[in-house]
Amino acid sequence: MVEAKFAIGQLVTHSIYGYRGVIIDADPQFTLSDSWYDKMATTKPSKNQPWYHILVNNSSIQTYVSESSLEMDLSEQEIQHPMVDLVFCGKSQGQYKLAENLN
């Protein structure tokens, strides 16, 4: 099994679309339906790699992205999303910390 490059709470940027976000969950490989993949994964990244659930900055959108489409975001700028305070309890060293009740 491939080890995930990114962790929950880590800030990332989509390498194609340029939006920033924070990871709230990870799957070792693609777990959604084939119809979702056909409709939403327009660049057709491999399903056999880690995929991440991401809260998108400056929106209320949550997205699902392949590891190959992500880059580390070193800006350390806060993520503006309505769910950030529900999932995380602050930030340390550029990474959000998962809320105690979600550990």
Side-chain angles (χ1 to χ4, degrees), residues 20-103:
R20 297 176 57 248
V22 59
I23 295 171
I24 61 168
D25 199 6
D27 297 324
Q29 61 188 21
F30 183 83
T31 61
L32 299 184
S33 68
D34 288 337
S35 62
W36 185 96
Y37 181 87
D38 293 340
K39 181 179 178 184
M40 302 299 289
T42 55
T43 60
K44 302 299 180 237
S46 171
K47 293 180 180 180
N48 295 320
Q49 63 178 316
W51 282 69
Y52 301 89
H53 299 267
I54 297 172
L55 300 180
V56 178
N57 188 43
N58 290 327
S59 77
S60 59
I61 295 171
Q62 177 181 324
T63 190
Y64 193 56
V65 183
S66 67
E67 185 170 274
S68 63
S69 297
L70 295 173
E71 299 172 349
M72 197 168 13
D73 176 2
L74 302 175
S75 73
E76 296 192 22
Q77 294 177 357
E78 299 288 324
I79 297 297
Q80 303 301 317
H81 189 286
M83 287 183 58
V84 166
D85 291 336
L86 300 173
V87 178
F88 301 107
C89 61
K91 213 169 107 182
S92 175
Q93 299 175 338
Q95 187 163 330
Y96 282 89
K97 299 298 176 191
L98 202 56
E100 291 292 321
N101 60 331
L102 298 176
N103 277 335

